Amino acid sequence: MACGVPLLATHLVAGYDDPEVFALTHLTVLGWVTMTIMGAIYQLFPVALQATISSPSLARWNFWVYLAGVGGFVPSFFFSWAPGTAIFGSLAVGGVICFAINLFRSYPSIRTWHPMAAYVLCGLGWLMVTLGFGLAWALDWQFNWFAISPNMLAAHVHAGLVGWLACTLMGVSYKLMELFALAHRRSWGLAYANLAAWNAGLAGLVVSLLLWPGSPAVTAVAALLGLSAAVFAFDLLRMWSSRRRRAISLEQAYLAVSVTSLLLAAALGILIASGASLHPNWVVAYGYAAIVGCFGFAIIGKYYKIIPFLIWLNRYGGTVGTGPAPLLKDLLDDRLGWASLALLVVGYGGILGGLLAAQATLVTTAGLVYLAGALLGAGTLGTALIPGRQIRRSSSPSRALPRRT
């Protein structure tokens, strides 16, 4: 994705109705964001909700089927190969259905109910709606059953972005704020009420886009979603303010950029829904703010928490108490993480400005800055995988743990 933006800058500023733009969008949404969320849910669901994944073996097959589907679907879009979109699109849908079935079957095992469970459940429902639209559109591209209007495409996009991705990430953010910042709360009433408002607004948006495109109903439900996004930001900020772990972490900084982008995307969405006379590049900017700004920054920030934890658990979980072991913070160099964040924010802001102003040169230049930040972040996370290079302060007495007796 980071490589694709500077390479396709002229296509992006021209608008969204372009095979190359569709390919880059699906590479980002399906290949990066959705695949990351699937893996994170498989890991987090049992820990956060004291549940059991119904079939771990199905989860492994789920990965390979989905990978093969997306791996063929994106190039098929890029080269406008209609049979490939139908074949590989169906394969990707099969992988997602495996994931959804596995997770649905895991819900009865939940022992600790949390808003995250409700948000993810709603997200799964919208994922099924997105799949229905997406598979129909992919097959129609091959068989020409009917004409796909921009409003039909918009219904598909919003079911996926606002329904599947946003619902899931909202729920996960609530839970990880508790775990990482020690921000516990007694009442989740506002979170549940806002989930109902969010889903009501999205249902109204999808229906109005399909049945009454361009009507005041589209603007009204878009405004409801914008209000719901503001409520979520307020609720998460209130939760963050009550945290016991007062230091601001790298993950929280990424989350701040994510939530800010959510509000920006909501504002742009309301403006577009109102029927304002805008160029197609504003629609691309709206999608970029949502996908890369909101979802992308949230996911990258959580990498800095989840990946070190998984590495530590794999390497040292079975030997705790028998010898030296690093702290989680010692597996990564936070200074490089903060430098990567700075580059990503500068690049992201420049790309967004270039899209709004239809300046391909600015999109290309800022895209290279974003790519540098992405490479630095990937390198920083990758160093934790190298044995012997992850403990930066091994002489600290806090690493020496007593032997078990």
Side-chain angles (χ1 to χ4, degrees):
M1 183 279 295
C3 295
V5 170
L7 291 174
L8 299 177
T10 54
H11 296 266
L12 292 168
V13 299
Y16 58 87
D17 191 12
D18 183 288
E20 287 85 354
V21 174
F22 285 151
L24 181 61
T25 301
H26 284 86
L27 174 66
T28 306
V29 174
L30 300 181
W32 175 35
V33 178
T34 295
M35 188 171 287
T36 299
I37 290 178
M38 285 180 176
I41 291 297
Y42 274 134
Q43 181 65 39
L44 186 61
F45 194 87
V47 176
L49 304 175
Q50 297 184 32
T52 303
I53 295 297
S54 176
S55 175
S57 60
L58 180 59
R60 287 187 285 271
W61 278 104
N62 167 197
F63 169 75
W64 292 111
V65 171
Y66 183 72
L67 178 63
V70 175
F73 184 68
V74 171
S76 298
F77 244 137
F78 189 87
F79 294 108
S80 299
W81 184 38
T85 61
I87 296 169
F88 290 107
S90 299
L91 195 59
V93 166
V96 173
I97 289 175
C98 287
F99 167 76
I101 290 175
N102 207 4
L103 215 56
F104 279 133
R105 291 174 58 189
S106 303
Y107 262 81
S109 70
I110 293 176
R111 295 192 296 274
T112 302
W113 191 264
H114 184 275
M116 172 187 152
Y119 275 81
V120 171
L121 186 60
C122 290
L124 287 173
W126 284 110
L127 179 59
M128 295 297 98
V129 174
T130 307
L131 284 182
F133 283 135
L135 183 59
W137 298 173
L139 292 174
D140 179 71
W141 203 23
Q142 167 65 19
F143 299 108
N144 295 313
W145 292 327
F146 50 84
I148 301 175
S149 69
N151 293 299
M152 295 167 67
L153 183 63
H156 164 61
V157 169
H158 285 87
L161 299 186
V162 182
W164 155 236
L165 295 181
C167 276
T168 302
L169 281 174
M170 284 177 175
V172 169
S173 295
Y174 275 128
K175 186 62 185 180
L176 294 187
M177 182 69 75
E178 278 190 311
L179 294 176
F180 295 152
L182 302 180
H184 302 288
R185 63 195 304 178
R186 296 180 179 179
S187 173
W188 290 100
L190 184 58
Y192 282 116
N194 197 44
L195 175 62
W198 184 265
N199 281 276
L202 178 55
L205 180 63
V206 170
V207 171
S208 60
L209 283 171
L210 293 175
L211 301 181
W212 311 294
S215 70
V218 178
T219 307
V221 290
L224 175 59
L225 284 168
L227 177 61
S228 183
V231 171
F232 168 73
F234 165 77
D235 198 30
L236 203 63
L237 178 61
R238 185 178 61 165
M239 190 175 177
W240 178 80
S241 300
S242 66
R243 72 195 186 282
R244 292 170 57 192
R245 187 169 287 161
R246 303 306 296 176
I248 298 177
S249 68
L250 186 57
E251 184 268 337
Q252 291 170 9
Y254 273 95
L255 184 60
V257 179
S258 170
V259 174
T260 302
S261 297
L262 172 64
L263 298 177
L264 174 60
L268 286 172
I270 295 171
L271 185 62
I272 294 170
S274 68
S277 180
L278 301 172
H279 293 290
N281 53 289
W282 277 65
V283 178
V284 178
Y286 164 61
Y288 185 79
I291 298 170
V292 176
C294 178
F295 307 133
F297 276 94
I299 285 174
I300 296 172
K302 289 165 178 54
Y303 283 160
Y304 284 95
K305 288 291 188 180
I306 294 174
I307 291 178
F309 172 75
L310 294 177
I311 293 173
W312 187 95
L313 191 65
N314 179 263
R315 289 184 181 165
Y316 307 104
T319 60
V320 172
T322 64
L327 298 176
L328 286 178
K329 65 180 180 180
D330 294 322
L331 298 182
L332 296 174
D333 189 337
D334 272 0
R335 295 168 298 179
L336 295 179
W338 284 101
S340 172
L341 172 61
L343 289 171
L344 290 173
V345 169
V346 171
Y348 164 68
I351 292 170
L352 193 59
L355 291 173
L356 290 171
Q359 294 293 324
T361 302
L362 178 56
V363 172
T364 301
T365 304
L368 293 174
V369 175
Y370 186 94
L371 175 60
L375 291 173
L376 179 59
T380 302
L381 292 166
T383 57
L385 299 172
I386 305 174
R389 295 187 59 185
Q390 72 275 15
I391 304 176
R392 304 198 321 270
R393 295 178 293 176
S394 57
S395 61
S396 172
S398 65
R399 307 300 182 278
L401 300 177
R403 284 186 180 274
R404 289 176 177 166
T405 58

